[in-house]
Amino acid sequence: GVTLTDEEAAALSALVQDVVKASRLTTRMRACLVEGLKTGSVCAMTSLVEGKPVIEIFPAKHCTPTLTRGGRVSRLVIQYKVPDATGPGKMAWYRREIGDGLDVVFALVPCDDKGEPDWSKVARETEAPIEFVAVRWLRNDDDGVVGLDSIDGHALSEGLEDEVFAVDMELSQLYRNALYNGEPQL
């Protein structure tokens, strides 16, 4: 029900174009498409970094979203292992929780044989209040996904893994070398 004057509409259009250009929206959306085709799901988060709009894409395998009935992300946990600075070959847990009014990054925790640490006892490295979770969870080909409770979509090569492996082997120089040099010589 809001009407804009021609000048206001032109100003709004210019603002939208500036945001699209500053955030490199076309490039980032292409990256979302590629990630969705590869893995079936994409986790994209918008934020401001040094005053500029940014779209970050996180590997879906490191993310655990909590989705509302409408498919909106109400909470996101990003967790994976990173190289630890304490020594070569050592790994540490990285964890970030976004939701419940906070964006929390925990201190790195060295990995051990006990598995995942108790995050309620780990120090918080940064904690920032947020008004909403600026994350979109996109499922590739979600029409074929059974039920709304499933968080994953379908990858482009789903069901074709054997054929993709065969093509990879056929193109492999190592495999080709084994075929050519493994046959008996005259």
Side-chain angles (χ1 to χ4, degrees), residues 40-130:
S41 299
V42 180
C43 181
M45 182 174 77
T46 58
S47 62
L48 291 174
V49 176
E50 297 179 3
K52 292 189 177 188
V54 174
I55 299 171
E56 291 179 86
I57 301 171
F58 299 104
K61 67 181 180 179
H62 299 309
C63 302
T64 306
T66 302
L67 303 175
T68 64
R69 289 192 55 77
R72 192 177 58 83
V73 178
S74 62
R75 187 168 189 278
L76 180 72
V77 175
I78 305 168
Q79 180 175 309
Y80 52 90
K81 294 178 182 179
V82 296
D84 196 354
T86 60
K90 301 214 179 211
M91 300 296 282
W93 287 101
Y94 169 86
R95 184 175 175 102
R96 180 177 181 184
E97 294 180 6
I98 304 167
D100 303 324
L102 291 174
D103 184 350
V104 178
V105 176
F106 291 88
L108 292 178
V109 177
C111 294
D112 57 19
D113 295 336
K114 298 175 189 172
E116 194 176 323
D118 180 4
W119 292 103
S120 65
K121 298 177 182 175
V122 176
R124 296 176 173 202
E125 199 170 88
T126 62
E127 185 175 309
I130 57 172

Side-chain angles (χ1 to χ4, degrees), residues 134-153:
V135 174
R136 288 287 296 160
W137 187 265
L138 307 165
R139 298 179 301 181
N140 184 49
D141 193 20
D142 64 351
D143 290 341
V145 176
V146 178
L148 291 173
D149 56 344
S150 176
I151 63 170
D152 288 325

